[in-house]
Amino acid sequence: MLNVYAASWCSHCKKTVEFLKENKIAFNYIDIEAQPDDVVAKVVEVNGGFDWVVPTFEFNGKWRKGKVFDPLELTRDLVEMGVIQ
């Protein structure tokens, strides 16, 4: 299952979640601000080690760092991660 680390106030997260729902892509929404330190530390590591950036994805051990919402880039990344074909 695709894990989406996000924040409720993040406009890029909201657009990403809307995109996933519209395209019927199953995912777990994970509120980054409610996670324990070890989870936050992993998201920080994925995003370069300075701070967490959302939305960050994890799927079967493959990570996608946080990026601004771009439907074409998101689709390409989901294919590359194996989430969709």
Side-chain angles (χ1 to χ4, degrees):
M1 175 79 63
L2 175 66
N3 292 309
V4 179
Y5 296 86
S8 61
W9 47 262
C10 169
S11 63
H12 296 289
C13 298
K14 290 176 184 177
K15 290 175 185 175
T16 297
V17 165
E18 184 177 309
F19 174 89
L20 294 171
K21 288 179 179 178
E22 286 175 357
N23 288 282
K24 297 179 176 41
I25 299 169
F27 65 96
N28 293 319
Y29 181 94
I30 302 169
D31 182 353
I32 188 65
E33 295 181 305
Q35 297 310 301
D37 290 344
D38 61 324
V39 173
V40 173
K42 180 60 181 178
V43 173
V44 168
E45 176 189 326
V46 167
N47 284 286
F50 299 106
D51 201 359
W52 53 264
V53 181
V54 289
T56 295
F57 296 168
E58 183 275 327
F59 181 74
N60 290 339
K62 295 179 183 176
W63 288 84
R64 176 188 188 255
K65 67 181 183 174
K67 297 181 182 181
V68 298
F69 178 74
D70 177 329
L72 296 176
E73 184 177 13
L74 177 54
T75 300
R76 186 192 74 228
D77 290 348
L78 292 172
V79 168
E80 188 175 301
M81 292 175 77
V83 176
I84 59 175
Q85 296 182 3

